[in-house]
Amino acid sequence: MNYSIAIYGGPYGHQASHSAYHFAQAVLAKGHHIQRVFFYHDGVYNASALVSPPQDEVNLPQQWQQLANTHQFELTVCIAAAVRRGVLDANEARRYQKPAANLAEGYQLSGLGQLIDASLESDRLISFGP
Amino acid sequence: MSDLETSQQDNQILVIFRKAPAGSAWAREALDLALVGAAFGQKVSLLFMGDGVFQLLEQQNPKLIGQKGTQAMMQALPMYEIDNLYVEGHSLVERGLDLEQLAVNCQVLNADEMPKLLQQHQQVFNF
Amino acid sequence: MMLHTVNKSGFSSKLLEECLRTVQADDAILLIEDGVYNALKTARTFTDQQAQCTWYVLMEDAKARGLQAEHCHPEIQWVDYSGFVELTEQHASICSWF
């Protein structure tokens, strides 16, 4: 089956992204395919390249990158929610004349339509909230 | 509720609003998703329950606390052809609200109708 | 047939009550994260519930919080993440309560 996952909670303050990550691993272990992980609401903080936990704690933004890279699925971040919360790619940083961009590698900013698209194109869409 | 009975599986997306309006961005971001769904040509229905019913109250003045609120977006719903708006009767009663206090026309759902509404939508976004 | 996930404790939140007002007989309810506390025998919401749903609790979340099966309702089945995925295979529609 083809899965998509929506994440609405940040990487450290809530369990949502952790739960989603464990779920994603279990989905892949069962031979299913993941189409897209979509980050919305405070979930967009998962896409910050500046997340810097101590070495003995999980770095979720990085773990998502690695899992997505290995299994070739999209990490899509709602652009409107991200820009409001200070998660910007190079284009947005230029547009808003900000001194730096901080969207982590492997993530892409896109419209909320990608979440609707995931709900239509995937066999299953599951959400994890804070 | 005639249109609940007749429209089995026709409806694609249900967005549930359960959070109070001003304390968080949920109301606004859930409504954004509903509008985008409609812009994508999907049939979108809205259900207000729990503290989400407070989003419907008239005479809100979010400007007082530096917020835009969702009132303008709510008024724009017909332009997006979002006209199935539901509110859970239980949540209204629990909060001592009646329909006259709501800024938007909603269909009130009783206990039997709530599960039916969820079952007849292919996708439920629950905020 | 719908799968509902619930992630808050009924001791401090009305989330599960709200969820229960929308479920029907053949739905499944999976308790995850802080929702696992609803599996305790002392949790009121479970005994009161009208709907004849099938109840599950996510083992990893329950064990992480020190919950033991003997303190939980025996009707609630324990599943691990692999079982969680199986539940999503069996239910075409998933409604997440958080």
Side-chain angles (χ1 to χ4, degrees):
Chain A
M1 273 185 199
N2 202 9
Y3 279 74
S4 282
I5 299 173
I7 299 176
Y8 307 126
Y12 181 67
H14 288 278
Q15 203 190 337
S17 186
H18 290 263
S19 300
Y21 184 77
H22 289 297
F23 181 80
Q25 285 182 310
V27 162
L28 295 165
K30 285 206 167 279
H32 296 302
H33 178 71
I34 294 179
Q35 179 187 352
R36 178 176 304 140
V37 177
F38 191 89
F39 300 89
Y40 191 44
H41 197 77
D42 285 356
V44 301
Y45 292 123
N46 286 283
S48 168
L50 301 179
V51 171
S52 314
Q55 278 201 340
D56 60 347
E57 293 178 18
V58 266
N59 187 326
L60 266 177
Q62 222 171 58
Q63 290 196 325
W64 277 119
Q65 275 171 352
Q66 285 159 0
L67 198 66
N69 190 37
T70 309
H71 297 276
Q72 291 298 299
F73 58 82
E74 300 168 19
L75 300 174
T76 308
V77 185
C78 173
I79 186 166
V83 167
R84 281 192 173 91
R85 289 170 174 81
V87 177
L88 282 74
D89 65 5
N91 272 337
E92 298 309 303
R94 256 195 310 278
R95 187 195 317 274
Y96 294 98
Q97 302 181 332
K98 297 297 175 188
N102 63 339
L103 184 75
E105 205 180 311
Y107 294 80
Q108 56 192 21
L109 296 183
S110 190
L112 196 43
Q114 293 299 306
L115 178 55
I116 300 294
D117 176 75
S119 80
L120 299 172
E121 298 301 321
S122 302
D123 301 308
R124 297 290 185 272
L125 170 65
I126 181 165
S127 302
F128 291 88
Chain B
M1 182 117 334
S2 56
D3 68 328
L4 269 188
E5 304 296 344
T6 53
S7 58
Q8 288 293 325
Q9 299 296 328
D10 289 353
N11 296 310
Q12 289 145 335
I13 295 177
L14 176 68
V15 182
I16 307 180
F17 298 75
R18 289 183 295 104
K19 311 278 205 293
S24 70
W26 286 114
R28 192 167 189 89
E29 292 193 313
L31 202 49
D32 277 339
L33 181 62
L35 297 184
V36 169
F40 263 59
Q42 303 302 299
K43 186 77 194 151
V44 180
S45 312
L46 313 185
L47 167 65
F48 296 85
M49 67 182 290
D51 281 346
V53 301
F54 290 129
Q55 294 178 29
L56 300 168
L57 270 189
E58 57 178 10
Q59 300 193 348
Q60 294 180 59
N61 193 349
K63 279 199 189 107
L64 286 174
I65 49 171
Q67 293 188 8
K68 274 204 264 186
T70 53
Q71 288 73 20
M73 287 158 85
M74 292 292 292
Q75 297 306 326
L77 290 175
M79 274 171 22
Y80 287 84
E81 292 178 9
I82 299 179
D83 27 48
N84 291 329
L85 274 66
Y86 303 97
V87 61
E88 188 198 22
H90 178 98
S91 298
L92 287 179
V93 172
E94 212 174 24
R95 288 160 183 78
L97 302 176
D98 54 54
L99 282 177
E100 283 102 75
Q101 291 168 272
L102 307 186
V104 190
N105 271 334
C106 289
Q107 229 174 322
V108 181
L109 298 188
N110 65 31
D112 294 337
E113 292 163 334
M114 291 289 290
K116 281 186 196 151
L117 184 71
L118 267 77
Q119 301 290 334
Q120 72 181 206
H121 288 84
Q122 284 149 10
Q123 189 67 55
V124 179
F125 289 101
N126 188 5
F127 296 104
Chain C
M1 282 243 305
M2 209 174 235
L3 172 66
H4 302 261
T5 64
V6 176
N7 86 337
K8 298 258 183 328
S9 161
F11 294 103
S12 61
S13 152
K14 289 198 170 189
L15 187 67
L16 180 57
E17 289 177 42
E18 289 181 357
C19 166
L20 286 175
R21 298 205 297 269
T22 70
V23 296
Q24 66 175 35
D26 55 0
D27 285 357
I29 298 174
L30 171 64
L31 306 170
I32 66 168
E33 302 178 354
D34 290 347
V36 299
Y37 296 116
N38 296 303
L40 285 170
K41 283 177 186 161
T42 48
R44 215 195 77 227
T45 17
F46 180 71
T47 45
D48 285 7
Q49 59 97 9
Q50 321 89 323
Q52 298 302 303
C53 301
T54 323
W55 289 70
Y56 302 88
V57 61
L58 188 60
M59 191 174 68
E60 284 87 344
D61 279 338
K63 286 190 171 171
R65 287 162 174 79
L67 289 200
Q68 286 161 8
E70 66 206 74
H71 297 137
C72 295
H73 284 286
E75 298 91 337
I76 301 184
Q77 300 173 45
W78 289 53
V79 292
D80 58 9
Y81 268 100
S82 180
F84 185 175
V85 174
E86 282 162 21
L87 286 173
T88 65
E89 292 166 358
Q90 293 153 14
H91 297 84
S93 188
I94 307 157
C95 187
S96 307
W97 296 82
F98 53 84

Coordinates of all heavy atoms in Angstrom, one line a residue, chain A residues 1-8 20-21 23-25 27-28 32-40 64-65 67-69 71-79 106-128, chain B residues 33 36 40 123 125, chain C residues 94:
Chain A
M1 N 0.8 -1.2 0.0 CA 0.0 0.0 0.0 C 0.9 1.2 0.0 O 2.0 1.2 0.4 CB -0.9 0.0 1.3 CG -2.2 -0.7 1.1 SD -3.2 -0.4 2.6 CE -4.3 -1.8 2.5
N2 N 0.2 2.3 -0.4 CA 0.9 3.6 -0.5 C 0.4 4.5 0.7 O -0.8 4.8 0.8 CB 0.5 4.2 -1.8 CG 1.4 5.2 -2.3 OD1 2.5 5.4 -1.8 ND2 1.0 5.9 -3.4
Y3 N 1.3 4.9 1.5 CA 1.0 5.7 2.7 C 1.5 7.1 2.6 O 2.5 7.4 2.0 CB 1.6 5.1 4.0 CG 0.9 3.9 4.6 CD1 1.0 2.7 4.0 CD2 0.2 4.1 5.7 CE1 0.3 1.6 4.5 CE2 -0.5 3.0 6.3 CZ -0.4 1.7 5.7 OH -1.0 0.7 6.3
S4 N 0.7 8.1 3.1 CA 1.3 9.4 3.4 C 1.0 9.7 4.9 O 0.1 9.1 5.5 CB 0.6 10.5 2.6 OG 1.2 10.4 1.3
I5 N 1.9 10.5 5.5 CA 1.8 10.8 6.9 C 1.8 12.3 7.1 O 2.6 13.0 6.4 CB 3.0 10.2 7.6 CG1 3.0 8.7 7.5 CG2 3.0 10.6 9.1 CD1 4.3 8.0 8.0
A6 N 0.9 12.8 7.9 CA 0.9 14.3 8.2 C 1.3 14.5 9.7 O 0.9 13.7 10.5 CB -0.5 14.8 8.0
I7 N 2.2 15.4 9.9 CA 2.8 15.7 11.2 C 2.5 17.1 11.6 O 2.8 18.1 10.9 CB 4.3 15.4 11.3 CG1 4.5 13.9 10.9 CG2 4.8 15.8 12.6 CD1 6.0 13.6 10.8
Y8 N 1.8 17.3 12.7 CA 1.4 18.6 13.2 C 2.1 19.1 14.5 O 1.8 20.1 15.0 CB -0.1 18.7 13.4 CG -1.0 18.2 12.3 CD1 -1.9 17.2 12.5 CD2 -0.8 18.7 11.0 CE1 -2.7 16.7 11.4 CE2 -1.6 18.3 10.0 CZ -2.6 17.3 10.2 OH -3.3 16.8 9.1
A20 N 5.2 9.3 14.6 CA 5.1 9.2 13.2 C 6.4 8.5 12.6 O 6.2 7.7 11.7 CB 5.0 10.6 12.6
Y21 N 7.5 8.8 13.2 CA 8.7 8.2 12.7 C 8.7 6.7 13.0 O 9.0 5.9 12.1 CB 10.0 8.8 13.4 CG 11.3 8.3 12.9 CD1 11.8 8.7 11.6 CD2 12.0 7.4 13.6 CE1 13.0 8.2 11.2 CE2 13.2 6.8 13.1 CZ 13.7 7.3 11.9 OH 14.8 6.8 11.4
F23 N 6.1 4.9 13.3 CA 5.1 4.3 12.5 C 5.6 4.2 11.1 O 5.4 3.1 10.4 CB 3.8 5.2 12.5 CG 2.7 4.7 11.6 CD1 1.8 3.7 12.1 CD2 2.5 5.2 10.3 CE1 0.8 3.3 11.3 CE2 1.5 4.8 9.5 CZ 0.6 3.8 10.0
A24 N 6.3 5.2 10.6 CA 6.9 5.1 9.2 C 7.8 3.9 9.1 O 7.8 3.2 8.1 CB 7.6 6.4 8.9
Q25 N 8.7 3.7 10.1 CA 9.6 2.6 10.0 C 8.8 1.2 10.0 O 9.2 0.3 9.2 CB 10.5 2.5 11.3 CG 11.6 3.6 11.2 CD 12.5 3.5 12.4 OE1 12.0 3.5 13.6 NE2 13.8 3.5 12.2
V27 N 5.8 0.8 8.8 CA 5.1 0.8 7.5 C 6.1 0.2 6.4 O 5.7 -0.7 5.7 CB 4.6 2.2 7.0 CG1 4.4 2.3 5.6 CG2 3.4 2.6 7.8
L28 N 7.3 0.7 6.5 CA 8.3 0.3 5.5 C 8.7 -1.2 5.7 O 8.9 -1.9 4.8 CB 9.5 1.2 5.6 CG 9.2 2.7 5.1 CD1 10.4 3.6 5.5 CD2 9.0 2.7 3.6
H32 N 5.4 -1.8 2.7 CA 4.6 -0.7 2.1 C 5.5 0.4 1.6 O 6.6 0.5 1.9 CB 3.6 -0.2 3.1 CG 2.5 -1.2 3.6 ND1 1.7 -1.8 2.7 CD2 2.3 -1.6 4.8 CE1 0.9 -2.6 3.4 NE2 1.2 -2.5 4.7
H33 N 4.8 1.3 0.8 CA 5.5 2.4 0.3 C 5.1 3.7 1.0 O 3.9 3.8 1.3 CB 5.2 2.5 -1.2 CG 5.9 3.6 -1.9 ND1 7.2 3.7 -2.2 CD2 5.4 4.7 -2.5 CE1 7.5 4.8 -2.8 NE2 6.4 5.5 -3.0
I34 N 6.0 4.6 1.2 CA 5.6 5.9 1.7 C 5.7 6.9 0.6 O 6.8 7.0 -0.1 CB 6.4 6.4 2.9 CG1 6.1 5.4 4.1 CG2 6.0 7.8 3.3 CD1 6.9 5.8 5.4
Q35 N 4.6 7.7 0.3 CA 4.7 8.6 -0.8 C 5.2 10.0 -0.3 O 6.1 10.6 -0.9 CB 3.2 8.8 -1.3 CG 3.1 9.8 -2.5 CD 1.7 10.1 -2.8 OE1 0.8 9.4 -2.4 NE2 1.5 11.1 -3.7
R36 N 4.6 10.4 0.8 CA 5.0 11.8 1.3 C 4.7 11.9 2.8 O 3.8 11.4 3.3 CB 4.0 12.8 0.6 CG 4.2 14.2 1.0 CD 3.3 15.1 0.1 NE 3.6 14.9 -1.3 CZ 2.7 14.9 -2.3 NH1 1.4 15.0 -2.0 NH2 3.0 14.7 -3.5
V37 N 5.6 12.6 3.4 CA 5.4 13.1 4.8 C 5.2 14.6 4.7 O 6.0 15.3 4.1 CB 6.6 12.7 5.7 CG1 6.3 13.3 7.1 CG2 6.8 11.2 5.8
F38 N 4.1 15.0 5.2 CA 3.7 16.4 5.1 C 3.7 17.1 6.5 O 3.1 16.6 7.5 CB 2.3 16.6 4.5 CG 2.0 18.0 4.1 CD1 2.4 18.5 2.8 CD2 1.4 18.9 5.0 CE1 2.1 19.8 2.5 CE2 1.2 20.2 4.6 CZ 1.5 20.7 3.4
F39 N 4.4 18.2 6.6 CA 4.5 18.9 7.9 C 3.7 20.2 7.9 O 3.8 21.0 7.0 CB 6.0 19.3 8.1 CG 6.9 18.1 8.2 CD1 7.5 17.6 7.0 CD2 7.1 17.4 9.4 CE1 8.3 16.5 7.1 CE2 8.0 16.3 9.4 CZ 8.6 15.8 8.3
Y40 N 2.8 20.3 8.9 CA 1.9 21.4 9.0 C 1.8 21.9 10.4 O 2.2 21.2 11.3 CB 0.5 21.0 8.4 CG -0.5 22.1 8.2 CD1 -0.1 23.3 7.6 CD2 -1.8 22.0 8.6 CE1 -1.0 24.4 7.4 CE2 -2.7 23.0 8.4 CZ -2.3 24.2 7.8 OH -3.2 25.3 7.6
W64 N 14.5 11.8 9.8 CA 13.5 11.9 8.7 C 14.3 12.0 7.4 O 13.9 11.3 6.4 CB 12.6 13.1 8.9 CG 11.4 12.8 9.8 CD1 11.1 13.5 11.0 CD2 10.4 11.8 9.6 NE1 10.0 13.0 11.5 CE2 9.5 12.0 10.7 CE3 10.1 10.9 8.7 CZ2 8.4 11.2 10.9 CZ3 9.0 10.1 8.8 CH2 8.1 10.2 9.9
Q65 N 15.3 12.9 7.4 CA 16.1 13.0 6.1 C 16.6 11.7 5.7 O 16.5 11.3 4.5 CB 17.3 13.9 6.4 CG 17.1 15.4 6.3 CD 18.3 16.1 6.8 OE1 19.3 15.5 7.4 NE2 18.4 17.4 6.7
L67 N 15.7 8.6 6.5 CA 14.7 7.6 6.1 C 14.1 7.9 4.7 O 13.9 7.1 3.9 CB 13.6 7.6 7.2 CG 12.7 6.4 7.2 CD1 13.4 5.1 7.6 CD2 11.5 6.6 8.1
A68 N 13.9 9.2 4.5 CA 13.3 9.7 3.2 C 14.3 9.4 2.1 O 13.9 9.0 1.0 CB 13.0 11.1 3.3
N69 N 15.6 9.6 2.4 CA 16.6 9.4 1.4 C 16.7 7.9 1.0 O 16.8 7.6 -0.2 CB 17.9 10.0 1.9 CG 19.0 10.0 0.8 OD1 18.7 10.3 -0.3 ND2 20.2 9.7 1.2
H71 N 14.5 5.6 1.4 CA 13.3 5.0 0.9 C 12.6 5.9 -0.2 O 11.5 5.6 -0.6 CB 12.3 4.6 2.0 CG 12.8 3.6 2.9 ND1 12.8 2.2 2.6 CD2 13.5 3.7 4.1 CE1 13.4 1.5 3.6 NE2 13.8 2.4 4.5
Q72 N 13.3 6.9 -0.5 CA 12.8 7.8 -1.6 C 11.4 8.3 -1.5 O 10.5 8.0 -2.3 CB 13.0 7.0 -3.0 CG 14.4 6.8 -3.3 CD 15.2 8.1 -3.6 OE1 14.8 8.9 -4.4 NE2 16.2 8.4 -2.8
F73 N 11.1 9.0 -0.4 CA 9.8 9.6 -0.3 C 10.0 11.1 0.0 O 11.1 11.5 0.3 CB 8.9 9.0 0.8 CG 9.4 8.9 2.2 CD1 9.3 10.0 3.0 CD2 9.9 7.7 2.7 CE1 9.8 9.9 4.3 CE2 10.4 7.6 4.0 CZ 10.3 8.7 4.8
E74 N 8.9 11.9 -0.2 CA 9.0 13.4 -0.1 C 8.8 13.8 1.4 O 8.0 13.3 2.1 CB 8.0 14.0 -0.9 CG 8.0 13.7 -2.4 CD 6.8 14.1 -3.2 OE1 6.0 15.0 -2.6 OE2 6.5 13.6 -4.3
L75 N 9.6 14.8 1.8 CA 9.4 15.5 3.0 C 8.9 16.9 2.6 O 9.7 17.8 2.2 CB 10.7 15.6 3.8 CG 11.3 14.3 4.2 CD1 12.7 14.5 4.9 CD2 10.4 13.5 5.2
T76 N 7.6 17.1 2.7 CA 7.0 18.4 2.2 C 6.5 19.2 3.3 O 5.8 18.7 4.2 CB 5.9 18.1 1.2 OG1 6.3 17.1 0.3 CG2 5.4 19.3 0.5
V77 N 6.9 20.5 3.3 CA 6.6 21.4 4.4 C 5.6 22.5 3.9 O 5.9 23.1 2.9 CB 7.9 22.0 5.0 CG1 7.6 22.9 6.2 CG2 8.9 21.0 5.3
C78 N 4.6 22.7 4.6 CA 3.6 23.8 4.2 C 4.3 25.1 4.2 O 4.8 25.6 5.3 CB 2.4 23.8 5.1 SG 1.3 25.2 4.7
I79 N 4.3 25.7 3.1 CA 5.1 27.0 3.0 C 4.5 28.1 3.8 O 5.2 28.8 4.5 CB 5.3 27.4 1.5 CG1 6.2 28.6 1.3 CG2 3.9 27.7 0.8 CD1 6.6 28.9 -0.1
G106 N 16.9 18.1 2.1 CA 15.9 16.9 1.9 C 14.5 17.3 2.1 O 13.6 16.5 1.8
Y107 N 14.2 18.5 2.6 CA 12.9 19.0 2.8 C 12.6 20.0 1.7 O 13.4 20.7 1.3 CB 12.7 19.7 4.2 CG 12.8 18.8 5.4 CD1 14.1 18.4 5.9 CD2 11.7 18.3 6.1 CE1 14.2 17.6 7.0 CE2 11.9 17.5 7.2 CZ 13.1 17.1 7.6 OH 13.3 16.3 8.7
Q108 N 11.3 20.1 1.3 CA 10.9 21.1 0.4 C 9.7 21.9 0.9 O 8.7 21.3 1.4 CB 10.7 20.5 -1.0 CG 9.7 19.4 -1.0 CD 9.6 18.6 -2.3 OE1 10.6 18.7 -3.0 NE2 8.5 18.0 -2.6
L109 N 9.7 23.2 0.7 CA 8.5 24.0 0.9 C 7.5 23.8 -0.2 O 7.9 23.9 -1.4 CB 8.9 25.5 1.1 CG 9.8 25.8 2.3 CD1 10.0 27.4 2.3 CD2 9.2 25.4 3.6
S110 N 6.3 23.7 0.1 CA 5.3 23.6 -1.0 C 3.9 24.0 -0.4 O 3.8 24.3 0.8 CB 5.2 22.2 -1.6 OG 4.4 22.2 -2.7
G111 N 2.9 24.0 -1.2 CA 1.6 24.5 -0.8 C 0.8 23.4 0.0 O 1.1 22.2 -0.1
L112 N -0.2 23.9 0.7 CA -1.0 23.0 1.5 C -1.8 22.0 0.6 O -2.2 20.9 1.0 CB -2.0 23.9 2.3 CG -2.8 23.3 3.4 CD1 -2.0 22.5 4.3 CD2 -3.5 24.5 4.2
G113 N -1.9 22.4 -0.7 CA -2.5 21.4 -1.7 C -1.8 20.1 -1.7 O -2.4 19.1 -2.1
Q114 N -0.5 20.0 -1.3 CA 0.2 18.7 -1.3 C -0.4 17.8 -0.2 O -0.2 16.6 -0.4 CB 1.7 19.0 -1.1 CG 2.4 19.7 -2.2 CD 2.3 18.9 -3.5 OE1 2.7 17.7 -3.6 NE2 1.7 19.5 -4.6
L115 N -1.0 18.4 0.8 CA -1.6 17.5 1.8 C -2.9 17.0 1.3 O -3.3 15.8 1.4 CB -1.8 18.3 3.1 CG -2.5 17.6 4.3 CD1 -1.8 16.3 4.6 CD2 -2.6 18.5 5.5
I116 N -3.7 17.8 0.6 CA -4.9 17.4 -0.1 C -4.6 16.3 -1.1 O -5.2 15.2 -1.2 CB -5.6 18.6 -0.8 CG1 -6.0 19.6 0.3 CG2 -6.9 18.1 -1.5 CD1 -7.0 19.2 1.3
D117 N -3.5 16.6 -1.9 CA -3.1 15.6 -2.9 C -2.7 14.3 -2.3 O -3.1 13.2 -2.8 CB -1.9 16.2 -3.7 CG -1.3 15.2 -4.7 OD1 -1.9 15.1 -5.7 OD2 -0.2 14.6 -4.4
A118 N -2.0 14.3 -1.2 CA -1.7 13.1 -0.5 C -2.9 12.3 -0.1 O -2.9 11.1 -0.1 CB -0.8 13.4 0.7
S119 N -3.9 13.0 0.4 CA -5.1 12.3 0.8 C -5.9 11.7 -0.4 O -6.6 10.7 -0.2 CB -6.1 13.3 1.5 OG -6.8 14.1 0.6
L120 N -5.7 12.2 -1.6 CA -6.3 11.7 -2.7 C -5.5 10.6 -3.4 O -6.1 9.6 -3.9 CB -6.5 12.8 -3.8 CG -7.4 14.0 -3.4 CD1 -7.4 15.1 -4.4 CD2 -8.8 13.5 -3.1
E121 N -4.2 10.7 -3.4 CA -3.3 9.8 -4.1 C -2.9 8.6 -3.3 O -2.5 7.6 -3.9 CB -2.1 10.6 -4.7 CG -2.4 11.7 -5.6 CD -3.2 11.2 -6.9 OE1 -2.9 10.1 -7.3 OE2 -4.1 11.9 -7.3
S122 N -2.8 8.8 -2.0 CA -2.3 7.6 -1.2 C -3.5 6.7 -0.8 O -4.6 7.2 -0.6 CB -1.6 8.2 0.1 OG -0.6 9.0 -0.2
D123 N -3.1 5.5 -0.5 CA -4.2 4.5 0.0 C -4.5 4.9 1.4 O -5.7 4.7 1.8 CB -3.7 3.1 -0.1 CG -3.3 2.7 -1.5 OD1 -4.1 2.9 -2.4 OD2 -2.1 2.2 -1.7
R124 N -3.6 5.4 2.1 CA -3.8 5.7 3.5 C -3.1 7.0 3.9 O -2.0 7.2 3.5 CB -3.2 4.6 4.5 CG -3.8 3.3 4.4 CD -5.3 3.2 4.9 NE -5.8 1.9 4.9 CZ -6.5 1.4 3.8 NH1 -6.6 2.1 2.7 NH2 -7.0 0.1 3.9
L125 N -3.8 7.9 4.6 CA -3.2 9.1 5.1 C -3.5 9.1 6.6 O -4.6 8.9 7.1 CB -3.8 10.4 4.5 CG -3.4 11.7 5.2 CD1 -1.9 12.0 5.0 CD2 -4.2 12.9 4.7
I126 N -2.4 9.1 7.4 CA -2.5 9.1 8.9 C -1.9 10.4 9.4 O -0.8 10.8 8.9 CB -2.0 7.8 9.5 CG1 -2.1 7.8 11.0 CG2 -0.5 7.6 9.1 CD1 -2.0 6.5 11.6
S127 N -2.5 11.0 10.4 CA -2.0 12.2 11.0 C -1.5 12.0 12.4 O -2.1 11.2 13.2 CB -3.1 13.3 11.1 OG -3.6 13.5 9.8
F128 N -0.4 12.7 12.8 CA 0.1 12.7 14.2 C 0.1 14.1 14.6 O 0.8 15.0 14.1 CB 1.4 12.1 14.2 CG 1.4 10.6 13.9 CD1 1.5 10.1 12.6 CD2 1.3 9.7 15.0 CE1 1.5 8.7 12.4 CE2 1.3 8.3 14.7 CZ 1.4 7.8 13.4
Chain B
L33 N -6.9 24.7 5.4 CA -6.9 23.4 4.7 C -8.2 23.1 4.0 O -8.3 22.6 2.9 CB -6.6 22.3 5.8 CG -6.5 20.9 5.2 CD1 -5.4 20.7 4.2 CD2 -6.4 19.9 6.3
V36 N -8.3 25.2 0.8 CA -7.4 24.6 -0.2 C -8.0 23.3 -0.8 O -8.0 23.1 -2.0 CB -6.0 24.3 0.4 CG1 -5.2 23.5 -0.6 CG2 -5.3 25.6 0.7
F40 N -9.0 22.7 -4.6 CA -8.6 21.5 -5.4 C -9.8 20.8 -6.0 O -9.6 19.7 -6.5 CB -7.8 20.6 -4.5 CG -6.3 20.8 -4.6 CD1 -5.7 22.1 -4.4 CD2 -5.5 19.8 -5.0 CE1 -4.3 22.2 -4.5 CE2 -4.1 20.0 -5.2 CZ -3.5 21.2 -4.9
Q123 N -12.2 11.1 3.7 CA -11.1 11.6 4.4 C -11.5 12.5 5.5 O -12.3 13.5 5.3 CB -10.1 12.3 3.4 CG -8.8 12.7 4.1 CD -7.9 11.5 4.4 OE1 -7.7 10.7 3.5 NE2 -7.5 11.3 5.6
F125 N -10.1 15.2 8.3 CA -9.0 15.9 9.0 C -9.6 16.5 10.3 O -10.6 17.2 10.3 CB -8.6 17.1 8.1 CG -7.8 16.7 6.9 CD1 -8.4 16.6 5.6 CD2 -6.5 16.3 7.0 CE1 -7.7 16.2 4.5 CE2 -5.8 15.9 5.8 CZ -6.4 15.9 4.6
Chain C
I94 N -8.8 6.7 8.5 CA -8.1 6.9 9.9 C -8.4 8.3 10.4 O -8.2 9.2 9.7 CB -6.6 6.7 9.8 CG1 -6.3 5.3 9.1 CG2 -6.0 6.7 11.1 CD1 -4.9 5.3 8.5

